[in-house]
């Protein structure tokens, strides 16, 4: 489609058509001045060498894309801007009770924007401003479409402020391992479950795992109720009415799906990890003693993973004990969530989950996935190291677990897609876990344990704080190994059938059942 003819361009053509014959030569200078005035609003002649048409007007504003083009979640994230910081203000009152909220999004336009989208679902919208001026806003499904009073020029920093009522009674359900997400109630507060695309139930966001920005949380709670969020506690402020405002800073950029915000009657338990790393567990008051045995293993888990993956990539870590009926553990950045039942049961199972969520801080949190089809890089690594640790500490040995996964791999491919090629948007199935860990095991068997270890450390070092995908991993592994691993890895990652396992000619794949 051609660009529409602007009013100035149409007037220019009418002027040119009125200039005929010798009059063109006589009036050319005046015509230039006239055209310049039409485009710039001045009567000055353009400087020598400057274009005589509307170059100073800049690009024509256009709408930002409603998504970044992820094939599995087309409307995840947004186009036309990058977020520099989120500031979230929540005036929390009581469990399962709506409360007032404000979100401030500081962004920079990557194109001239006539309008733009934010990922925002649920909740009651009150008003939206852009740079302090009221803006038009309307809902299109999970998209909040914002039209500022004036277009935002390309390269311009701008601030969006959204006032709304957060509603913890509104949640979503997914037909996979995540189940409910959004505001998840507890007996005396709430826990946030944002993975994979539930952050939009909490605040207006650029909600895709490859898109990250630092976040400031400001949460006001009633007397006796605490708040916790990702990163560092900046401070608390006691209000005249006895309420307390808690301020947290994420310290490092964070993907919307990795946020954590919890409110309740908590005890904060401080300790230290390797090299003095601050470790702070956040535990419901009645669970402190009963969960202490397994929580106290975190420094050992950190040391074990650092031997294999290098230094822990964030400034602090901790475990938030989830006092809910939601059985899902989450790798929320710098503050992993472990359900209470995980920490009250069998030690082998508890350590598997603790190590799994901690591993994600290297692969999934620090090294983010580029597209949702790259989820195998996040969950596969977490499951691999979980299984490796468990095999060394009383659980089933890694090889036996991987052999069992190998037998079922064709069935998983049939049901859920190959590891790097999921079928549909139902992501959190067994192929993304044991099925993807098997790919890493196969790579280890192919290149040897020493080379595999160098690949792993190079991966989390080269892409620390960045997003990376399957092609990046294959290319890096090939460089480190000194051979092209593409022909080996591609059938494992994309093929319809499971390739032979190096070094294990006796391993067999079970036939597929429809």
């Amino acid at each position: 489609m051609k660009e529409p003819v602007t009013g100035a361009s149409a007037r220019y053509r009418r002027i040119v058509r009125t200039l005929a014959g010798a009059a063109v030569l006589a009036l050319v200078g005046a015509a230039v001045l006239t055209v310049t005035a039409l485009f710039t609003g001045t009567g000055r002649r353009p400087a020598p060498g400057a274009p005589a048409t509307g170059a100073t007007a800049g690009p024509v504003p256009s709408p930002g894309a409603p998504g970044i083009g992820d094939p599995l979640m087309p409307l995840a994230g947004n186009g036309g801007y990058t977020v520099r910081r989120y500031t979230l203000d929540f005036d929390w009152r009581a469990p399962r009770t709506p409360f007032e909220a404000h979100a401030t999004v500081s962004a920079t336009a990557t194109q001239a924007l006539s309008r733009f989208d934010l990922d925002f679902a649920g909740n009651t919208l009150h008003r939206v401003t852009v740079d302090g001026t009221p803006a038009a806003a309307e809902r299109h499904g999970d998209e909040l479409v914002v039209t500022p009073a004036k277009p935002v020029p390309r390269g311009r920093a701008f601030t969006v402020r959204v006032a709304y009522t957060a509603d913890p009674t509104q949640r979503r359900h997914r037909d996979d391992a995540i189940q409910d997400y959004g505001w998840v109630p507890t007996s005396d507060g709430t826990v946030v479950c944002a993975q994979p695309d539930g952050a939009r139930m909490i605040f207006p966001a650029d909600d895709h795992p490859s898109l990250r920005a630092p976040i400031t949380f400001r949460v006001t709670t009633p007397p006796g109720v605490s708040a916790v969020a990702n990163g560092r506690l900046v401070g608390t402020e006691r209000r005249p009415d006895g309420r307390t405002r808690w301020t947290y800073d994420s310290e490092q950029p964070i993907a919307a799906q990795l946020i954590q915000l919890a409110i309740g009657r908590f005890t904060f338990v401080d300790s230290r990890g390797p090299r003095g790393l601050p470790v702070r567990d956040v535990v419901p008051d009645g669970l402190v003693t009963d969960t202490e045995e397994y929580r106290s293993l975190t420094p050992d888990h950190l040391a074990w993973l650092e031997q294999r993956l290098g230094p822990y990539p964030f400034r602090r870590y901790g475990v938030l004990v989830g006092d809910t009926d939601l059985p899902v553990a989450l790798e929320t950045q710098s503050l992993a969530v472990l359900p209470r039942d995980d920490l009250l049961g069998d030690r082998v199972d508890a350590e598997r989950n603790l190590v799994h969520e901690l591993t994600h801080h290297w692969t999934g949190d620090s090294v983010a996935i580029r597209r949702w089809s790259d989820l195998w890089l996040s969950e596969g690594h977490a499951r691999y190291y979980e299984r490796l640790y468990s095999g060394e500490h009383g659980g089933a040995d890694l090889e036996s677990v991987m052999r069992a996964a190998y037998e079922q791999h064709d069935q998983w491919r049939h049901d859920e897609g190959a590891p790097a090629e999921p079928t549909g948007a139902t992501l959190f199935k067994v192929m993304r876990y044991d099925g993807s860990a098997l790919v890493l095991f196969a790579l280890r068997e192919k290149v040897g344990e020493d080379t595999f270890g160098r690949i792993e450390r190079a991966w989390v070092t080269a892409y620390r704080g960045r997003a990376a995908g399957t092609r990046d991993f294959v290319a890096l592994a090939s460089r480190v190994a000194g051979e092209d691993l593409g022909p080996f890895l591609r059938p494992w990652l994309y093929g319809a059938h499971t390739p032979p396992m190096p070094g294990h000619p006796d391993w067999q794949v079970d036939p597929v059942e429809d």
Side-chain angles (χ1 to χ4, degrees):
M1 183 175 66
K2 294 182 179 179
E3 289 187 13
V5 177
T6 64
S9 297
R11 291 195 295 273
Y12 172 69
R13 291 190 176 97
R14 288 197 296 272
I15 290 168
V16 171
R17 284 197 298 269
T18 63
L19 303 176
V24 173
L25 296 175
L27 297 176
V28 66
V32 170
L33 286 174
T34 303
V35 173
T36 303
L38 287 170
F39 279 96
T40 67
T42 71
R44 295 188 297 273
R45 189 184 300 272
T53 56
T56 58
V60 176
S62 60
I68 66 169
D70 191 311
L72 295 181
M73 295 188 184
L75 295 181
N78 302 286
Y81 64 90
T82 57
V83 176
R84 292 180 287 111
R85 177 173 286 275
Y86 299 101
T87 301
L88 307 179
D89 290 271
F90 296 120
D91 188 13
W92 192 86
R93 296 285 170 170
R96 296 179 174 85
T97 302
F99 53 92
E100 294 309 300
H102 292 86
T104 302
V105 184
S106 302
T108 301
T110 57
Q111 68 178 66
L113 286 169
S114 59
R115 68 171 188 260
F116 56 89
D117 285 25
L118 290 164
D119 299 311
F120 191 45
N123 305 287
T124 301
L125 181 68
H126 296 311
R127 62 187 176 277
V128 179
T129 63
V130 176
D131 290 335
T133 301
E138 56 182 323
R139 303 266 197 175
H140 290 172
D142 285 357
E143 298 291 308
L144 177 62
V145 183
V146 179
T147 304
K150 295 181 180 180
V152 181
R154 183 175 64 188
R156 176 72 58 83
F158 65 102
T159 300
V160 186
R161 186 169 171 82
V162 181
Y164 60 103
T165 297
D167 191 347
T169 67
Q170 295 182 347
R171 295 192 302 281
R172 294 281 179 89
H173 181 80
R174 289 181 61 89
D175 186 23
D176 57 24
I178 298 301
Q179 300 181 12
D180 288 344
Y181 61 101
W183 301 100
V184 178
T186 65
S187 60
D188 54 16
T190 187
V191 172
V192 164
C193 180
Q195 193 179 30
D197 59 348
R200 64 194 64 192
M201 303 292 294
I202 311 302
F203 68 105
D206 205 7
D207 191 4
H208 188 272
S210 67
L211 304 174
R212 297 187 278 195
I215 303 181
T216 299
F217 301 86
R218 295 196 286 250
V219 187
T220 304
T221 62
V225 177
S226 303
V228 65
N230 310 85
R232 178 175 65 92
L233 176 61
V234 176
T236 57
E237 178 185 348
R238 181 66 59 87
R239 299 298 181 86
D241 62 357
R243 293 164 58 78
T244 300
R245 187 171 80 169
W246 307 72
T247 301
Y248 287 85
D249 179 64
S250 68
E251 298 183 294
Q252 290 160 275
I254 181 171
Q257 67 145 349
L258 297 176
I259 68 158
Q260 185 49 253
L261 168 65
I263 297 165
R265 299 185 183 277
F266 295 131
T267 297
F268 295 81
V269 182
D270 292 307
S271 62
R272 293 285 174 177
R275 303 177 319 283
L277 178 77
V279 175
R280 168 171 285 188
D281 293 340
V282 182
V283 190
D285 287 345
L287 294 171
V288 176
T289 300
D290 290 343
T291 61
E292 181 180 4
E293 179 182 358
Y294 299 160
R295 287 188 295 100
S296 67
L297 298 172
T298 292
D300 294 336
H301 298 158
L302 281 161
W304 187 88
L305 283 165
E306 286 195 344
Q307 288 176 354
R308 289 152 181 84
L309 297 173
Y312 175 75
F314 298 103
R315 297 178 185 173
R316 63 197 71 244
Y317 183 66
V319 169
L320 168 64
V321 179
D323 190 14
T324 74
D325 294 328
L326 191 67
V328 177
L330 297 169
E331 66 270 23
T332 41
Q333 187 168 303
S334 77
L335 184 67
V337 178
L338 271 294
R340 61 174 181 246
D341 292 344
D342 283 6
L343 300 173
L344 298 175
D346 177 73
R347 175 166 176 159
V348 169
D349 290 341
E351 288 202 84
R352 279 184 52 198
N353 284 336
L354 285 161
V355 171
H356 181 103
E357 305 310 334
L358 180 54
T359 301
H360 270 303
H361 284 71
W362 282 266
T363 61
D365 292 12
S366 176
V367 182
I369 57 174
R370 193 181 302 281
R371 291 290 184 269
W372 275 114
S373 58
D374 301 317
L375 182 63
W376 78 273
L377 282 165
S378 176
E379 296 298 349
H381 273 99
R383 181 54 57 88
Y384 174 84
Y385 286 102
E386 161 205 333
R387 294 292 193 184
L388 181 63
Y389 179 92
S390 185
E392 296 177 3
H393 293 81
D397 68 277
L398 179 66
E399 186 168 313
S400 66
V401 171
M402 291 296 97
R403 182 168 187 166
Y406 187 83
E407 292 169 355
Q408 302 174 74
H409 221 249
D410 267 12
Q411 187 69 55
W412 295 339
R413 287 173 189 267
H414 174 270
D415 295 343
E416 302 163 15
E421 204 165 42
T423 301
T426 304
L427 295 167
F428 294 90
K429 296 290 189 177
V430 67
M431 179 56 95
R432 252 44 70 193
Y433 293 86
D434 283 301
S436 298
L438 185 69
V439 177
L440 297 172
F441 180 81
L443 177 60
R444 192 188 80 167
E445 298 301 279
K446 165 71 172 175
V447 302
E449 190 169 345
D450 289 344
T451 299
F452 178 76
R454 290 192 289 112
I455 290 171
E456 293 291 274
R457 288 187 291 275
W459 174 246
V460 298
T461 301
Y463 289 100
R464 178 171 177 165
R466 300 164 59 192
T470 302
R471 289 184 180 180
D472 300 312
F473 183 81
V474 173
L476 180 140
S478 297
R479 289 196 301 272
V480 174
E483 62 175 304
D484 183 5
L485 292 171
F488 172 77
L489 284 171
R490 279 191 288 271
W492 277 98
L493 293 167
Y494 300 105
H497 298 285
T498 307
M501 177 60 70
H504 300 277
D506 57 322
W507 286 18
Q508 299 294 319
V509 181
D510 291 342
V512 173
E513 298 180 4
D514 288 322

